[in-house]
Amino acid sequence: MLKSGKIQYINFVLILLLLATTSSAQSIEHTLKKIWEDEKEINSIRFNALEEYYEINNQVKPDSALISLDYHYKLAKEKNAALELYKATKKKGNIHRLKGNYDIAMSSYQEAESLATKLNDPILKAEIMGNMGNIFVFRQDYKQATRSFSKTLKVYQDLNNSDGESHMLTSLGSVFLIINNYDLALEYYQKSLSIINKRGFEDRSTAIIYINIGWTNFVKGLYEEAKVYYEKGIKILQVKNEKFFIANCYSTLAKIHLKLNQLDQANEYAKKDLALNTELDIKTGILNAEIIIAQLTFVTNIKDATEKGQSILAKLPAKTNKNLKKDLYELLYKCYKVQNKLDLSLEMYELYNTYNDSIQQEKNNFAVVREAVKNDFEVRLNENKLENENEKAKLRAIQLKRTFAIILTSTLLIISIIFYFKSNIKKNRIKRELLLNELERLKTLSDTQLKLQPQKFELNRDKIEISINRKINETDWTILNILIDDPVISNKETAAKAFKSVDGVGSALRRMYDYFEIKESKYKKISLLMKAIKLSNT
């Protein structure tokens, strides 16, 4: 079986191209299922097919997506593929969270967190920490939620992950929105939006920010502004038919139009909301849509609205959201009151007041929660700032030590170089003096030793030419005799005395070094003269 990464990729692209030519979505899903169930297929191709199936169905058919994730999980465990195991576990948590199964979702996230720790991947850890923060929000543990989101935000900022940073700013904004800190919520949403807009395209993340800004305006009573943002959000979500989020938009748009007394539009959105929540089997969403429809019916047909309200009440789960109960009891109170059913009206009014007072009490409690979260959040921010300052101080200290080390090393190196050159100069000076002394000694030897007249020393041209086996031209001979009088004369001075150019003198010297086989590199002129003197006296 081929194992090349490139071949695997090409194979999967060809499969996707094949799927693209298939007209039926059901046929595409069937083809993907055949791929991941094929035990002879390459593992990466099978996992890619499962990923593709999830992307197609997680918002449209979440229960089918969960079944595929069970297979994904089983296959990953069988193949000992830790990353794929993480993906399957996290995605299961995401779907259960969207369906309102928060305990199951948290359990999945905890398992995914353990896998992320084993993989030692900071991005994976951050993803799970952020998702767990969402569960804390639903559990109304807002302090823990802000801590999770703040920690995750710092990880993304440290890694320069702008998408993750934007997502966490949105999540923090949502906590502040829930506890009625609207200004801070909008501040965080706008920060998030400014980061995500730099990408140059809009997707689900952009839509979610628009929806959150829209909801903030809705609870502030700014219905027209809320409508604008929800319409922006739903337009993006409809591109990929992201049904969970679209259902949320339908619900709020129905409420917005009801507040604006635009009943036809409100009714249209409420019906769409009911149909979509029924398809997704979201119990709370179904109840919410039915109550909105009953509220709209009350405007035109009180009897029908009463029947709808009673039908909803009969199947109302005990753990239903307080806001839904409040809205239902308020509707029935109004219905019974208009129909002059005073006993029932009073009963509904008392229930309405009970839940309304409870909700109001929660709002009042939010003042305490808001302050606690705000204080805790500010403490965390200050801790992060202090931590950043400490890290910067450590870096500055390290940099300072490095700078001192470089300066010290450079200073020692410079001193060593200076010492080396000074020592060399001194050695060379001594050597030159010794050579000059030797030269003078040779020139002043008595006649009995070298047959020389010390004060009238002359080079013997014939002897030299015989010894080097070649003729010396006049220029070279002239220069050689100038050097006899002054062995350390410069080339420039030599050129002036010989009526030659400096280059000509240099050329003549190089020739003679070659003729006389002078190897000395530092004091060639002196060595040349010594050789010439010795040859003159052989």
Side-chain angles (χ1 to χ4, degrees), residues 303-366:
K303 184 179 178 182
D304 196 13
T306 305
E307 290 175 358
K308 289 181 185 297
Q310 289 172 333
S311 174
I312 297 167
L313 183 61
K315 62 182 180 183
L316 198 67
K319 292 185 178 180
T320 301
N321 180 283
K322 290 178 183 179
N323 280 293
L324 291 182
K325 286 183 177 180
K326 175 186 77 74
D327 291 343
L328 178 60
Y329 292 135
E330 183 182 22
L331 169 69
L332 287 170
Y333 153 67
K334 290 177 180 178
C335 288
Y336 291 139
K337 183 180 179 182
V338 172
Q339 295 174 76
N340 205 28
K341 297 178 180 178
L342 300 181
D343 290 343
L344 290 172
S345 174
L346 181 60
E347 181 185 348
M348 293 300 108
Y349 183 72
E350 287 176 351
L351 288 168
Y352 160 74
N353 270 334
T354 299
Y355 284 101
N356 189 47
D357 290 345
S358 178
I359 291 166
Q360 193 57 50
Q361 183 60 47
E362 282 186 356
K363 287 184 177 181
N364 293 337
N365 291 340
F366 275 151

Side-chain angles (χ1 to χ4, degrees), residues 144-290:
Q144 191 60 46
T146 55
R147 287 180 180 181
S148 293
F149 294 145
S150 298
K151 284 180 183 177
T152 310
L153 175 63
K154 188 176 185 304
V155 172
Y156 284 132
Q157 287 173 335
D158 289 344
L159 295 171
N160 292 318
N161 187 313
S162 56
D163 283 349
E165 181 181 1
S166 172
H167 183 53
M168 284 306 102
L169 288 169
T170 301
S171 297
L172 282 165
S174 296
V175 176
F176 297 128
L177 170 61
I178 291 168
I179 61 176
N180 303 330
N181 197 332
Y182 305 130
D183 292 337
L184 197 54
L186 286 172
E187 180 185 330
Y188 272 78
Y189 291 146
Q190 291 298 343
K191 282 181 183 178
S192 177
L193 192 60
S194 67
I195 290 172
I196 211 167
N197 279 342
K198 292 176 183 176
R199 301 180 307 175
F201 64 90
E202 295 182 325
D203 60 5
R204 183 201 294 177
S205 297
T206 319
I208 290 171
I209 298 171
Y210 285 144
I211 291 168
N212 286 331
I213 294 174
W215 181 252
T216 308
N217 282 309
F218 178 80
V219 296
K220 291 177 74 174
L222 305 172
Y223 304 122
E224 289 290 354
E225 289 87 341
K227 178 182 170 185
V228 169
Y229 279 103
Y230 267 96
E231 287 174 346
K232 280 185 179 181
I234 200 169
K235 186 178 179 182
I236 297 168
L237 295 168
Q238 284 171 336
V239 173
K240 289 190 175 181
N241 197 24
E242 307 203 45
K243 292 186 178 181
F244 279 103
F245 298 99
I246 291 170
N248 174 278
C249 288
Y250 285 156
S251 172
T252 308
L253 282 166
K255 292 175 182 178
I256 289 170
H257 285 290
L258 179 57
K259 291 288 185 181
L260 293 171
N261 202 32
Q262 297 167 349
L263 303 183
D264 289 341
Q265 295 96 317
N267 193 50
E268 183 182 346
Y269 279 119
K271 286 179 179 178
K272 287 181 179 180
D273 182 32
L274 178 60
L276 200 48
N277 277 289
T278 301
E279 179 186 335
L280 296 170
D281 192 29
I282 304 173
K283 301 295 190 295
T284 303
I286 293 169
L287 282 172
N288 182 56
E290 287 177 341

Side-chain angles (χ1 to χ4, degrees), residues 313-537:
L313 183 61
K315 62 182 180 183
L316 198 67
K319 292 185 178 180
T320 301
N321 180 283
K322 290 178 183 179
N323 280 293
L324 291 182
K325 286 183 177 180
K326 175 186 77 74
D327 291 343
L328 178 60
Y329 292 135
E330 183 182 22
L331 169 69
L332 287 170
Y333 153 67
K334 290 177 180 178
C335 288
Y336 291 139
K337 183 180 179 182
V338 172
Q339 295 174 76
N340 205 28
K341 297 178 180 178
L342 300 181
D343 290 343
L344 290 172
S345 174
L346 181 60
E347 181 185 348
M348 293 300 108
Y349 183 72
E350 287 176 351
L351 288 168
Y352 160 74
N353 270 334
T354 299
Y355 284 101
N356 189 47
D357 290 345
S358 178
I359 291 166
Q360 193 57 50
Q361 183 60 47
E362 282 186 356
K363 287 184 177 181
N364 293 337
N365 291 340
F366 275 151
V368 178
V369 174
R370 183 165 57 247
E371 196 60 32
V373 169
K374 181 183 175 184
N375 291 338
D376 185 70
F377 186 63
E378 287 176 353
V379 166
R380 299 285 163 186
L381 280 178
N382 289 330
E383 285 177 355
N384 286 339
K385 286 178 183 177
L386 184 60
E387 186 180 339
N388 288 335
E389 287 300 319
N390 288 337
E391 286 177 3
K392 287 178 182 177
K394 286 178 183 177
L395 286 173
R396 282 196 294 268
I398 291 168
Q399 190 61 41
L400 198 58
K401 286 179 181 178
R402 285 178 181 169
T403 303
F404 282 142
I406 290 168
I407 291 170
L408 182 60
T409 305
S410 300
T411 304
L412 291 172
L413 183 61
I414 291 167
I415 290 170
S416 299
I417 291 170
I418 291 170
F419 178 79
Y420 172 79
F421 279 110
K422 279 189 172 183
S423 177
N424 254 15
I425 290 168
K426 187 176 179 181
K427 285 178 182 178
N428 288 330
R429 188 179 292 119
I430 293 169
K431 186 177 180 181
R432 189 183 73 166
E433 291 300 321
L434 290 171
L435 287 170
L436 288 172
N437 289 338
E438 177 64 14
L439 184 63
E440 288 302 316
R441 188 186 69 80
L442 289 172
K443 287 164 65 176
T444 57
L445 283 175
S446 65
D447 287 338
T448 56
Q449 290 176 312
L450 290 175
K451 313 295 185 193
L452 295 175
Q453 295 294 326
Q455 300 303 320
K456 299 178 181 179
F457 179 79
E458 292 181 1
L459 293 170
N460 190 318
R461 188 169 184 171
D462 292 334
K463 286 185 178 182
I464 292 172
E465 287 178 342
I466 290 168
S467 296
I468 65 174
N469 197 26
R470 67 172 67 240
K471 292 290 183 181
I472 299 174
N473 66 36
E474 291 304 321
T475 299
D476 293 354
W477 185 250
T478 301
I479 291 169
L480 198 56
N481 280 285
I482 290 170
L483 292 175
I484 281 291
D485 293 331
D486 188 358
V488 293
I489 192 171
S490 68
N491 285 4
K492 185 176 180 182
E493 291 171 324
T494 304
K497 286 187 176 185
F499 303 104
K500 302 291 180 181
S501 67
V502 175
D503 288 341
V505 171
S507 178
L509 287 169
R510 284 192 295 275
R511 276 197 305 275
M512 287 190 284
Y513 295 150
D514 183 47
Y515 297 163
F516 287 83
E517 297 181 348
I518 302 303
K519 305 299 182 184
E520 167 66 46
S521 60
K522 191 71 177 175
Y523 299 109
K524 284 188 174 183
K525 289 179 185 177
I526 297 174
S527 297
L528 174 64
L529 288 174
M530 290 177 69
K531 187 75 174 281
I533 292 170
K534 287 179 181 179
L535 293 176
S536 295
N537 292 283

Side-chain angles (χ1 to χ4, degrees), residues 106-150:
M106 179 58 91
S107 178
S108 294
Y109 287 150
Q110 285 170 341
E111 184 178 352
E113 182 184 34
S114 176
L115 290 164
T117 301
K118 288 179 183 177
L119 288 163
N120 195 27
D121 188 319
I123 290 291
L124 301 185
K125 290 180 183 178
E127 286 176 353
I128 291 301
M129 201 186 305
N131 284 332
M132 286 175 140
N134 291 327
I135 302 296
F136 290 128
V137 170
F138 290 115
R139 288 177 174 175
Q140 297 184 339
D141 188 349
Y142 304 115
K143 186 183 289 187
Q144 191 60 46
T146 55
R147 287 180 180 181
S148 293
F149 294 145
S150 298

